Amino acid sequence: MESSELGEKYLKQSPEQLIVYIYSPEYISACDSLCKIPSRASMVHSLIEAYGLLPYMRVVRPKPATMEEMATFHTHAYLQHLQLVSEEGDDDNPESVEYGLGYDCPTSKGIYDYAAAVGGATLTAAQCLIDQKCKIAINWPGGWHHAKKDEASGFCYVNDAVLGILRLRQKYERVLYIDLDLHHSDGTGDVTDIGLGKGRWYSVNVPLQDGIQDDRYFHVCESILKEVCTAFNPEAVVLQLGADTLAGDPMCCFNMTPVGIAKCLKYVLHWELPTLILGGGGYNLANTARCWTYLTGVILGKTLASEIPDHEYFTDYGPDYVLEITPSCRPDRNDQQQTERILSSVKGNLKNVV
């Protein structure tokens, strides 16, 4: 049976079994324009396409977010300033520093349109889940979790993760956000950061040291998520899968492979909850494409060939031209006692969740 025929058979299944994949040429082009990750979105999409995975998913064209939609989290003042500098292509506006724009988040012509595209794509994915068009919705170019209400931060101009959560909460009361990026959302990090006000006890942080590899990472992830799921009883999940944890990433911290990340992904998917999947960090572009393509195959239950298929970006995968990523010899600085102390502390905190 040809892959297109398999795809037709798959798409005849009930909506709950379908996977939505957010894509349009215009959306990918907008995401390719970011100077820190040039053409990353195209590399990811092209590899997913080259492995023949698109026929097994419902491809949905995203709609750009309106200013009002982005203002469900961001301030109008920030969005209006982002729009102003976007139209002018002005990197020297004296007010930009106040809004976090500059060295870490440079401005350029069209940056507002990019923010609207990413925010809208995650909102489109969330709406597909709300409308029960699928059980899993994927937006790999999303996952920009550092942006604050009134500031760009950490190369993030819009917090599409928050926008997606807020949209899902129109239907689902308890939305669990899981962030597996190397640097998770701003303002947290220590195991004692447990949230503030009404959110006290609802934030869980698991600080890890350099060099962690797949097995230890999954042990921590599984142990924490089991407790979190029991305590919080989520109705929907937003899962951010930044690829800057991988061996070979310029961030040079963790020593993971896509196989380890996939174990965490499969653990979350076995809950069988509506799940919004986002990308995030990942600055070795070829390895990021390898990772998210492999994870797409895992979501679809497809085993992918080791050899990278011939396609537009084939030469970027040299010299080995394989899908696998090999860990480096970086030492793992996470000792067992330290890890168990963190897990014990988190489990104790979760007893306060109601």
Side-chain angles (χ1 to χ4, degrees):
M1 187 180 290
E2 297 295 326
S3 62
S4 59
E5 294 175 305
L6 283 168
E8 281 184 25
K9 180 180 179 182
Y10 189 81
L11 291 174
K12 288 176 182 176
Q13 295 178 17
S14 64
E16 294 78 15
Q17 295 172 292
L18 287 177
I19 314 298
V20 156
Y21 177 77
I22 303 298
Y23 167 77
S24 75
E26 298 81 8
Y27 176 45
I28 295 298
S29 178
C31 295
D32 279 348
S33 66
L34 279 183
C35 61
K36 195 168 186 178
I37 48 170
S39 299
R40 189 183 77 173
S42 280
M43 287 183 69
V44 173
H45 175 73
S46 295
L47 192 58
I48 289 171
E49 184 177 40
Y51 269 104
L53 298 178
L54 292 182
Y56 299 97
M57 299 183 283
R58 175 178 289 170
V59 178
V60 173
R61 175 180 289 270
K63 298 178 181 178
T66 65
M67 184 174 288
E68 287 306 311
E69 285 176 323
M70 289 190 283
T72 57
F73 175 62
H74 295 288
T75 64
H76 280 94
Y78 167 68
L79 294 170
Q80 288 164 0
H81 183 80
L82 190 66
Q83 188 175 49
L84 174 67
V85 297
S86 176
E87 291 169 352
E88 297 175 346
D90 184 4
D91 203 24
D92 297 316
N93 189 303
E95 295 181 15
S96 288
V97 174
E98 178 185 344
Y99 294 108
L101 300 167
Y103 173 76
D104 197 31
C105 298
T107 57
S108 60
K109 197 170 183 65
I111 195 66
Y112 175 86
D113 296 326
Y114 157 74
V118 172
T122 294
L123 288 172
T124 300
Q127 193 62 48
C128 286
L129 292 168
I130 289 172
D131 295 339
Q132 296 183 310
K133 292 180 179 177
C134 60
K135 197 76 171 182
I136 300 169
I138 303 170
N139 178 27
W140 288 128
W144 298 103
H145 51 181
H146 290 298
K148 303 171 185 176
K149 286 180 70 71
D150 56 357
E151 286 183 46
S153 179
F155 210 65
C156 302
Y157 301 87
V158 61
N159 199 317
D160 65 288
V162 171
L163 296 182
I165 292 166
L166 292 174
R167 176 61 64 88
L168 287 171
R169 291 202 70 238
Q170 293 179 4
K171 178 174 182 178
Y172 305 106
E173 179 66 24
R174 301 171 82 88
V175 178
L176 175 62
Y177 177 62
I178 304 169
D179 196 321
L180 301 186
D181 198 275
L182 181 67
H183 306 113
H184 51 61
S185 308
D186 277 18
T188 60
D190 193 88
V191 70
T192 59
D193 292 330
I194 54 174
L196 299 170
K198 292 181 179 179
R200 183 171 172 80
W201 307 115
Y202 288 87
S203 180
V204 172
N205 288 281
V206 187
L208 299 170
Q209 303 302 311
D210 287 1
I212 194 165
Q213 295 192 21
D214 290 350
D215 289 345
R216 190 188 300 272
Y217 190 92
F218 176 64
H219 167 68
V220 171
C221 190
E222 181 186 35
S223 300
I224 294 293
L225 290 180
K226 180 180 179 181
E227 299 288 334
V228 167
C229 187
T230 300
F232 185 59
N233 191 26
E235 299 169 297
V237 176
V238 176
L239 177 58
Q240 200 267 20
L241 295 169
D244 46 4
T245 57
L246 292 172
D249 192 89
M251 290 296 178
C252 296
C253 290
F254 288 0
N255 201 12
M256 301 279 294
T257 77
V259 174
I261 299 172
K263 288 180 181 179
C264 302
L265 167 63
K266 286 188 280 190
Y267 185 79
V268 172
L269 294 183
H270 97 275
W271 295 338
E272 298 186 343
L273 295 172
T275 302
L276 171 54
I277 292 178
L278 303 174
Y283 307 102
N284 180 318
L285 306 188
N287 279 359
T288 299
R290 284 179 168 103
C291 180
W292 292 344
T293 299
Y294 178 80
L295 296 182
T296 302
V298 167
I299 292 166
L300 293 171
K302 303 294 179 186
T303 301
L304 306 185
S306 176
E307 299 79 14
I308 296 289
D310 189 23
H311 68 296
E312 181 182 357
Y313 296 97
F314 179 77
T315 56
D316 290 286
Y317 296 92
D320 52 2
Y321 303 99
V322 296
L323 189 62
E324 293 80 17
I325 296 172
T326 304
S328 71
C329 57
R330 177 182 294 274
D332 184 353
R333 303 193 183 280
N334 298 271
D335 65 70
Q336 188 65 29
Q337 284 187 330
Q338 175 195 40
T339 302
E340 293 304 322
R341 280 197 300 269
I342 292 171
L343 295 178
S344 177
S345 178
V346 168
K347 291 175 183 178
N349 290 340
L350 286 170
K351 292 177 182 177
N352 296 283
V353 173
V354 294

